[in-house]
């Protein structure tokens, strides 16, 4: 990998899987147990992460952002009832979609992003990827905090650990 955005996207998928692997070690009831955080449950946080990544995937595929938001919105309710198995499967499939897309894409290409929250601007696909990764990092941090509130530790999923683990496999 010689593209930073491509490497960061790989990190994003690795970090999501690292969090899921930690959740597999814990009682399944924790997924739907309420906490005092940005989202009421771990499932709601994972749902948000998945739905927003799906929305951005639609955007990088050429869907206007308001339409992509509408298409992704039903996932926010559906995902609250998903099991860990469903999250694992969906996030894995999503990672594969992104991996295929990024290998075939000129990340320097710009699109007009019609963001209904902040306005219209020209944005490179690379910037969108970096935003997606940053957004995921934020919510994986929420999950770490929620796990602590529920009496469990999280797991290290920092970029530097990914970086070192990747250098060991090369």
């Amino acid at each position: 990998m010689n593209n930073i955005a491509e490497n960061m996207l790989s990190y994003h998928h690795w970090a999501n899987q690292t969090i899921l692997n930690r959740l597999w070690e814990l009682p399944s009831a924790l997924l739907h147990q309420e906490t005092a955080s940005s989202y009421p449950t771990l499932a709601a946080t994972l749902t948000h992460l998945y739905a927003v990544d799906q929305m951005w995937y639609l955007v990088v595929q050429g869907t206007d952002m308001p339409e992509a938001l509408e298409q992704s919105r039903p996932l926010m309710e559906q995902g609250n009832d998903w099991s860990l198995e469903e999250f694992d499967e969906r996030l894995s499939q999503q990672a594969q979609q992104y991996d295929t897309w990024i290998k075939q894409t000129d990340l320097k290409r710009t699109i007009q992003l019609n963001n209904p929250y902040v306005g219209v601007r020209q944005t490179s696909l690379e910037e969108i990827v970096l935003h997606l990764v940053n957004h995921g990092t934020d919510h994986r941090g929420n999950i770490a905090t929620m796990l602590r509130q529920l009496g469990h530790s999280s797991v290290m999923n920092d970029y530097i650990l990914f970086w070192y683990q990747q250098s060991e496999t090369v």
Side-chain angles (χ1 to χ4, degrees):
M1 265 179 249
N2 51 12
N3 181 299
I4 290 174
E6 186 176 349
N7 196 39
M8 292 301 293
L9 186 62
S10 293
Y11 156 70
H12 177 65
H13 300 312
W14 170 88
N16 286 344
Q17 190 60 54
T18 298
I19 287 290
L20 288 172
N21 291 345
R22 174 62 178 137
L23 294 176
W24 279 110
E25 298 170 352
L26 301 172
S28 61
L30 287 180
L31 194 60
H32 300 287
Q33 192 171 337
E34 295 219 1
T35 65
S37 190
S38 300
Y39 292 90
T41 65
L42 293 164
T45 307
L46 287 169
T47 297
H48 174 77
L49 185 66
Y50 174 77
V52 170
D53 281 10
Q54 194 60 32
M55 184 277 305
W56 283 116
Y57 185 74
L58 292 170
V59 168
V60 299
Q61 292 292 314
T63 304
D64 195 39
M65 188 172 177
E67 183 181 335
L69 281 165
E70 274 309 304
Q71 288 182 35
S72 302
R73 197 157 281 148
L75 294 171
M76 291 303 295
E77 287 189 31
Q78 295 167 11
N80 288 325
D81 296 324
W82 292 343
S83 65
L84 192 55
E85 292 87 357
E86 289 172 289
F87 281 113
D88 207 341
E89 182 179 320
R90 287 174 183 270
L91 286 166
S92 177
Q93 288 172 353
Q94 191 175 63
Q96 290 171 4
Q97 282 181 317
Y98 268 107
D99 288 345
T100 299
W101 168 79
I102 204 164
K103 287 175 174 62
Q104 302 168 354
T105 301
D106 174 9
L107 295 175
K108 298 296 183 194
R109 185 169 65 87
T110 60
I111 62 169
Q112 182 169 302
L113 184 64
N114 179 14
N115 186 322
Y117 301 108
V118 292
V120 177
R121 69 164 283 187
Q122 287 296 117
T123 305
S124 72
L125 296 175
E126 183 175 49
E127 288 175 307
I128 291 173
V129 169
L130 295 176
H131 168 71
L132 177 131
V133 174
N134 191 49
H135 177 260
T137 299
D138 178 41
H139 292 299
R140 286 186 296 273
N142 294 144
I143 290 169
T145 299
M146 294 166 87
L147 285 172
R148 285 186 198 100
Q149 287 179 17
L150 293 167
H152 299 276
S153 63
S154 186
V155 62
M156 185 175 175
N157 62 86
D158 292 354
Y159 179 64
I160 194 128
L161 179 60
F162 167 78
W163 198 24
Y164 277 90
Q165 286 183 356
Q166 295 309 301
S167 66
E168 291 171 4
T169 62
V170 175

